Amino acid sequence: MTGDRLLDIQTGFNNIFRQNPHGIWAAPGRVNLIGEHTDYNAGYVLPFALPHTTLVAARARTDGRLRVFSATHSEDRLLDLGLPDLVPAAAHGWSAYPAGVAWALRLEGHPVSGADLYIDGDVPVGAGLSSSASLECAVAIALNDLYDLGLAPAELARIARRAENEFAGIPCGILDQMASVTCRAGHGLFLDTRDLSSRHVPMHFEAAGLRLLVIDTHVKHDLRDGDYGELRAGCEEAARLLGVEHLRDLTAPARLPDPRLTRLVRHVVTENARVLAAVEALDAGDWERVGVILHDGHASIRDDFQITCPETDLVAATAERHGALGARQTGGGFGGSVIALVRTQDADRVTRAVTEASTGHPVPRVFTAIAGPGARRLK
């Protein structure tokens, strides 16, 4: 984080609120290497944090007001909300995330009496890289520090997820928030979402002569449109019919009368197995196997979970055709980004190929993913 960027954030805060912030906090977006839609099924995931972050400059207030300004969203206005009046319908769009965090903290009895928040950042919005969780987690750690709440990282992740589930109305699991809060630089987070036990797994791609490319297709997704909720409800219904608490409890795919539920079950069971296999492959330095796991993971979310789209299918197939060891759509689905594991000498060729193949579609943004640190105070 450069000093110039911190100065810009502090200056922005001062221009809006006419005083200096008490501090500046950052929380990253994330890439999920493998483990898609397994978190709300109490399964395994393997994300890592990006260097891209949401920054929050914050100052405590004592009058019950939450004033929020975002330099990264289209609404060029200061939002002024009364904390005692906050209910899930009180804020919309991006503002539901910081408001939801304050609401969840107060709902659980934490003495948050107000704040001025200035938000900026460089996590691509709508790219499947969890810009929403990075915003929630940056606000959560800021309020935790401002009010000396003493909440542990996993508890902050839980608060942030509650804000997204109950306030913003998105029935996600806890993958994104745990990654944003707890990841370590140079490592992935092997997380068991049932009990939140975890292990930091080294992910030194460049030392192995590899790069993990993130290919943002610019196909935007909105997880509030009902598709995500329907998938979760389908998984829960399948678990009920199979007599288990969560699909994670199954050791093999099972067939149900409804073919759609059978597909959902097959994805979750095989995806959990892919996460475990990916951890073994990373520990062994077996990068060819990691590539196969990415390829198989894309096929599963395309054919069984059915959350890819023509643009991401095209990008994944093109990347592999031009030398990627494996590629798959990452994130909640319905657009967003593709990750491709490539040899360093093949990175430019793969980048050119996916760009040329996207004729008639938005030109993708391609960058190399580097495993960064989790949420932290910067100043």
Side-chain angles (χ1 to χ4, degrees), residues 58-328:
R59 185 180 179 93
R61 299 178 63 90
T62 60
D63 59 358
R65 307 304 300 179
L66 182 71
R67 300 196 300 169
V68 188
F69 182 88
S70 174
T72 59
H73 296 87
S74 58
E75 296 180 13
D76 187 20
R77 64 188 180 92
L78 177 66
L79 299 178
D80 190 339
L81 304 168
L83 287 179
D85 302 323
L86 279 184
V87 293
H92 305 280
W94 67 268
S95 63
Y97 301 115
V101 170
W103 169 83
L105 285 169
R106 286 171 58 88
L107 193 66
E108 298 193 10
H110 298 293
V112 174
S113 60
D116 289 337
L117 306 176
Y118 182 93
I119 297 165
D120 201 351
D122 59 2
V123 182
V125 176
L129 304 177
S130 199
S131 59
S132 59
S134 71
L135 173 53
E136 294 157 359
C137 292
V139 172
I141 64 167
L143 295 178
N144 187 50
D145 284 357
L146 285 177
Y147 287 97
D148 196 22
L149 303 180
L151 297 176
E155 188 66 8
L156 291 174
R158 188 190 62 77
I159 289 288
R161 180 186 61 172
R162 185 171 189 181
E164 187 147 356
N165 288 173
E166 299 179 27
F167 198 92
I170 299 171
C172 65
I174 202 166
L175 180 161
D176 297 342
Q177 293 81 9
M178 282 292 290
S180 187
V181 171
T182 65
C183 275
R184 292 180 185 171
H187 294 75
L189 181 71
F190 172 42
L191 175 68
D192 183 337
T193 64
R194 178 153 62 188
D195 60 11
L196 299 189
S197 60
S198 64
R199 178 165 75 87
H200 296 281
V201 181
M203 284 187 178
H204 301 302
F205 300 111
E206 292 193 6
L210 300 165
R211 292 187 189 179
L212 188 73
L213 300 181
V214 177
I215 306 163
D216 178 4
T217 66
H218 298 295
V219 177
K220 303 300 182 184
H221 63 285
D222 186 347
L223 299 183
R224 284 166 293 199
D225 64 4
D227 291 333
Y228 194 106
E230 289 178 7
L231 289 168
R232 180 165 185 165
C235 289
E236 291 171 350
E237 174 67 5
R240 186 188 66 80
L241 292 172
L242 292 168
V244 295
E245 184 176 2
H246 300 288
L247 293 184
R248 152 30 184 305
D249 298 319
L250 298 175
T251 58
R255 187 174 297 277
L256 290 165
D258 185 340
R260 180 182 68 92
L261 297 185
T262 297
R263 292 195 305 269
L264 296 182
V265 171
R266 184 165 56 231
H267 167 74
V268 172
V269 172
T270 59
E271 187 79 345
N272 277 320
R274 280 186 286 272
V275 175
L276 297 175
V279 172
E280 291 181 356
L282 288 168
D283 286 340
D286 188 346
W287 297 101
E288 296 283 347
R289 188 181 182 198
V290 173
V292 171
I293 290 167
L294 296 182
H295 172 87
D296 292 347
H298 185 83
S300 185
I301 59 172
R302 180 192 64 214
D303 301 334
D304 284 340
F305 235 60
Q306 299 183 352
I307 58 171
T308 66
C309 63
E311 294 87 350
T312 55
D313 288 340
L314 174 65
V315 165
T318 301
E320 291 184 348
R321 192 164 58 248
H322 288 83
L325 301 181
R328 76 171 193 91

Side-chain angles (χ1 to χ4, degrees), residues 27-31 48-54 123 129-131 133-134 179-180 373:
R30 64 95 187 96
V31 163
F48 64 91
L50 287 169
H52 304 73
T53 59
T54 297
V123 182
L129 304 177
S130 199
S131 59
S134 71
S180 187

